[in-house]
Amino acid sequence: MRSPVTGIVTLILLFLLVIVGYSSLFTVQQTEQALVVRLGRPVDVVSQPGLNFKAPFIDTVISIDKRILDLENPSQEVIASDQKRLVVDAFARYRIKDALRFYQSVGSIPAANLQLTTLLNAALRRVLGEVTFIAVVRDEREGLMAKIRNQLDREAEGYGIEVVDVRIRRADLPDANSQAVYQRMQTERQREAAEFRAQGGQKAQEIRSKADREATVIIADANSISEQVRGTGDAERNRLFAEAYGRDPDFFAFYRSMSAYEKGLRSNDTRFLLRPDSDFFRFFGSASGKIDGAAAPKQ
């Protein structure tokens, strides 16, 4: 029969074998690349995901991210070629393309971010210092960002880093300068508005004067025409009156008296200071308009 000591030794050997086997295996994730270091010296770089082998106990596996990483750069003050001060807020995107060189030069992502921040600030000052404020803000912004990315990529290559993109999030004047610019712009807009209002007022006055002149001419022409029509009507009326008077003087006298009664005897005031037997009331006493001898006024 097998002795108990033999069984214990077998279990110990199996346990040691499991430990050794576990120590000789490591897994690389899809988002990582692994650097195998033996006694402080790099011996292998694994960039493909999966299960891999290493020397147990003496090899160390260092995982390095191979995704695109963010570099947030704090706002920096840059002086453009026209001596205008700019506050530039930029950021970069990069990836680690050479794990061995990255490990030997900077060693970790925080250290790489610190080094890249320094390089990015230097590239911003070099590139933006060669152009004007307008070029940075409006005209050449896209080309300037590409130029900064190329310079930063060349300098970061020695650290095993590839710079994917550099973007200027904001480029503006400092707050004090911005307020002065805004005030100047506001004053200019107010001056232009006042000028437009003055031109509009002048134009309105010209239109109003022209309209008043045309209205005066139109009214004068209308009055002239109306006077001519009225004169023609009066002449025709006088002619008809004269013709009627010639045909029947008595009827014409009766008609004139009736017209005088209509105008004189108003509903609101019928008071007259006349004698009852005056000529004005002659048709009141007689239909023929003749005054009786007894009622005739005394001479």
Side-chain angles (χ1 to χ4, degrees):
M1 294 181 64
R2 184 179 299 177
S3 64
V5 175
T6 304
I8 294 173
V9 172
T10 303
L11 290 175
I12 293 174
L13 291 176
L14 289 174
F15 180 72
L16 292 175
L17 182 61
V18 170
I19 293 177
V20 171
Y22 182 78
S23 300
S24 62
L25 297 174
F26 67 95
T27 303
V28 179
Q29 302 294 330
Q30 292 181 344
T31 59
E32 298 175 343
Q33 52 188 327
L35 178 64
V36 181
V37 179
R38 180 174 301 167
L39 301 177
R41 293 192 309 171
V43 295
D44 192 16
V45 176
V46 181
S47 58
Q48 297 299 323
L51 187 63
N52 297 271
F53 295 93
K54 66 180 180 63
F57 304 115
I58 60 175
D59 286 352
T60 303
V61 178
I62 301 175
S63 297
I64 299 176
D65 202 328
K66 67 177 182 180
R67 295 173 293 182
I68 295 179
L69 304 175
D70 296 334
L71 175 65
E72 293 292 337
N73 191 50
S75 298
Q76 298 292 323
E77 190 170 288
V78 179
I79 299 178
S81 62
D82 52 3
Q83 301 305 311
K84 289 187 177 180
R85 298 165 58 194
L86 295 172
V87 176
V88 180
D89 183 8
F91 65 91
R93 300 287 184 267
Y94 71 95
R95 67 163 60 94
I96 301 169
K97 67 175 183 178
D98 190 337
L100 178 58
R101 184 178 297 181
F102 176 81
Y103 176 74
Q104 291 174 338
S105 58
V106 290
S108 64
I109 291 178
N113 288 339
L114 184 61
Q115 187 65 33
L116 286 176
T117 298
T118 302
L119 297 177
L120 177 58
N121 291 336
L124 285 171
R125 288 190 171 88
R126 282 196 304 270
V127 174
L128 302 185
E130 298 175 353
V131 295
T132 62
F133 168 76
I134 297 298
V136 177
V137 175
R138 185 186 63 190
D139 296 341
E140 304 176 16
R141 188 160 181 165
E142 196 70 27
L144 294 173
M145 291 189 294
K147 190 174 182 180
I148 295 171
R149 188 201 70 80
N150 294 334
Q151 289 192 15
L152 182 60
D153 184 50
R154 286 195 299 268
E155 295 175 351
E157 187 176 2
Y159 302 102
I161 294 173
E162 177 189 4
V163 178
V164 178
D165 193 15
V166 173
R167 291 286 166 180
I168 296 177
R169 183 184 290 113
R170 183 178 71 94
D172 204 351
L173 295 171
D175 292 340
N177 294 14
S178 298
Q179 293 299 326
V181 172
Y182 295 152
Q183 185 65 33
R184 186 167 64 252
M185 292 174 62
Q186 182 180 8
T187 302
E188 182 67 18
R189 298 291 87 78
Q190 290 176 349
R191 184 191 64 79
E192 292 180 357
E195 182 177 353
F196 290 150
R197 281 194 293 268
Q199 294 176 356
Q202 180 181 0
K203 191 67 175 178
Q205 185 62 35
E206 292 176 356
I207 294 173
R208 193 178 295 110
S209 299
K210 183 178 179 181
D212 292 342
R213 183 171 62 254
E214 292 178 353
T216 301
V217 172
I218 292 172
I219 293 173
D221 292 342
N223 289 334
S224 176
I225 295 173
S226 67
E227 290 297 331
Q228 293 176 6
V229 173
R230 187 179 295 107
T232 302
D234 289 343
E236 182 67 15
R237 184 192 62 178
N238 294 334
R239 186 186 67 79
L240 293 175
F241 279 165
E243 184 179 352
Y245 181 79
R247 290 182 180 181
D248 192 347
D250 293 336
F251 175 77
F252 185 75
F254 176 77
Y255 175 77
R256 294 296 300 271
S257 296
M258 293 300 103
S259 298
Y261 293 159
E262 181 182 5
K263 295 179 181 180
L265 299 175
R266 298 290 183 178
S267 59
N268 56 350
D269 189 6
T270 58
R271 291 174 295 177
F272 290 94
L273 297 177
L274 297 173
R275 291 170 56 87
D277 55 354
S278 65
D279 186 61
F280 181 77
F281 295 110
R282 59 179 176 168
F283 285 100
F284 278 74
S286 173
S288 61
K290 296 181 179 180
I291 303 175
D292 297 334
K298 297 179 179 181
Q299 300 295 330

